[in-house]
């Protein structure tokens, strides 16, 4: 496959890079949900438009990595399915919806994956897990009370891309998540236990952000991925990646 991008997801995709020569994976662009720069967003949109035009001319399938976070879906009490009307809660979410529209209307075969918070090797220091590990080691952690995050192992994201392309799935939107948003306190406590450290917690009161995401479609398409819904999924990720960071 052709991999557009040099970030941590792109680096992890290199393990299956020799497969699916008909596909181009867009693993580049704005990665921080707090971004609101119109210039950055326009540059990202231009990249998506150039790539989809080229893929249409070459008869390639485009895999676009969108978001299954609160930024796109907003808050909710019931699991958000791929048919749920997105309720973007930030400029980042509005941008992802804009890019999905560009991809789906490009005239080339496409696959849109709405990914929650991918976690794993080669993440940048500002991203969730490495940032919390660094804070715990420093002795001070800032916690947004009411914030929840649904973490998915980047190795499972790679399995999803590989598996869906192997099955010939196209022109579909698929959520990629664990289906269980966890309070950020649970993530920090898990890091502390593994490091044997207990940091001071600065609690910042923020509005509730909790976005349950349905992964039923994913599990029907790739039954082996039901492992992401198991109760110990977060613990397995922390066992794997806290020592790495």
């Amino acid at each position: 496959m052709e991999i557009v991008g040099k970030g941590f997801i792109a680096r992890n995709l290199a393990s299956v890079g020799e497969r699916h020569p008909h596909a181009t994976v867009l693993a580049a662009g704005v990665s921080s949900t707090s971004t609101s720069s119109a210039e950055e967003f326009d540059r990202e949109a231009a990249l998506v438009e150039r790539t989809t035009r080229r893929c249409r001319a070459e008869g390639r399938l485009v895999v676009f990595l969108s978001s299954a976070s609160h930024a796109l879906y907003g808050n909710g009490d019931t699991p958000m399915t791929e048919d749920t009307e997105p309720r973007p809660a930030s400029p980042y979410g509005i941008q992802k919806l804009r890019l999905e529209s560009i991809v789906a209307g490009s005239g080339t075969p496409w696959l849109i994956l709405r990914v929650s918070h991918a976690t794993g090797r080669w993440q940048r220091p500002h991203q969730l897990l490495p940032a919390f590990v660094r804070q715990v080691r420093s002795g001070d952690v800032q916690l947004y009370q009411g914030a929840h995050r649904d973490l998915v192992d980047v190795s499972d994201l790679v399995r999803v891309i590989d598996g869906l392309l192997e099955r010939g799935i196209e022109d579909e939107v698929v959520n990629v998540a664990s289906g269980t948003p966890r309070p950020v306190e649970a993530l920090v406590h898990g890091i502390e236990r593994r490091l044997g450290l207990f940091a001071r917690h600065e609690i910042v009161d923020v509005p509730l952000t909790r976005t349950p995401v349905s992964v039923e479609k994913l599990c029907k398409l790739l039954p082996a991925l039901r492992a992401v819904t198991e109760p110990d999924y977060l613990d397995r990720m922390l066992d794997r990646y806290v020592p790495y960071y």
Side-chain angles (χ1 to χ4, degrees):
M1 68 177 67
E2 176 191 25
I3 303 168
V4 178
K6 298 180 180 178
F8 99 100
I9 291 177
R11 293 182 69 181
N12 279 277
L13 278 169
S15 64
V16 294
E18 297 301 317
R19 295 167 56 78
H20 317 296
H22 70 294
T24 293
V25 181
L26 269 163
V30 176
S31 62
S32 173
T33 58
S34 63
T35 300
S36 60
S37 166
E39 183 179 357
E40 287 189 50
F41 287 154
D42 287 344
R43 190 161 51 241
E44 181 183 39
L47 171 65
V48 171
E49 288 172 341
R50 285 196 309 273
T51 303
T52 53
R53 281 198 303 268
R54 177 172 57 81
C55 288
R56 182 176 66 243
E58 297 174 358
R60 301 180 63 80
L61 179 146
V62 174
V63 180
F64 176 66
L65 304 183
S66 185
S67 175
S69 70
H70 168 264
L72 181 77
Y73 276 131
N75 284 325
D77 296 321
T78 58
M80 308 292 184
T81 71
E82 293 82 356
D83 295 327
T84 301
E85 185 69 27
R87 301 191 297 268
S90 71
Y92 176 87
I94 294 170
Q95 171 72 354
K96 288 301 183 187
L97 203 55
R98 170 192 181 190
L99 299 179
E100 287 187 10
S101 179
I102 292 172
V103 171
S106 66
T108 196
W110 53 269
L111 184 60
I112 293 172
L113 303 183
R114 290 180 177 165
V115 185
S116 58
H117 293 271
T119 301
R121 290 172 59 86
W122 301 309
Q123 282 194 285
R124 296 174 182 175
H126 73 272
Q127 292 178 305
L128 191 67
L129 182 59
F132 271 149
V133 170
R134 185 176 65 254
Q135 288 182 46
V136 169
R137 290 179 63 84
S138 77
D140 291 284
V141 178
Q142 188 177 74
L143 282 175
Y144 287 179
Q145 190 171 31
H148 292 68
R149 297 292 183 268
D150 184 328
L151 272 60
V152 64
D153 194 323
V154 70
S155 66
D156 287 323
L157 174 57
V158 172
R159 290 171 62 206
V160 169
I161 294 171
D162 188 36
L164 293 178
L165 292 176
E166 181 69 24
R167 286 202 55 196
I169 305 299
E170 60 182 55
D171 298 346
E172 293 281 357
V173 178
V174 182
N175 289 334
V176 183
S178 75
T180 306
R182 306 293 184 102
V184 291
E185 296 95 321
L187 176 59
V188 169
H189 292 325
I191 293 169
E192 289 176 327
R193 288 195 301 272
R194 285 160 178 82
L195 293 179
L197 301 171
F198 296 93
R200 292 179 294 276
H201 295 179
E202 177 191 353
I203 306 299
V204 180
D205 192 21
V206 297
L208 176 71
T209 54
R210 185 177 184 278
T211 310
V213 175
S214 171
V215 292
E216 283 306 305
K217 184 174 182 178
L218 172 67
C219 294
K220 286 179 181 176
L221 291 170
L222 299 172
L225 264 295
R226 192 164 292 278
V228 304
T229 67
E230 293 172 355
D232 65 343
Y233 185 63
L234 176 61
D235 284 326
R236 298 201 308 268
M237 271 193 290
L238 294 180
D239 288 343
R240 184 176 301 121
Y241 296 122
V242 168
Y244 174 77
Y245 286 111

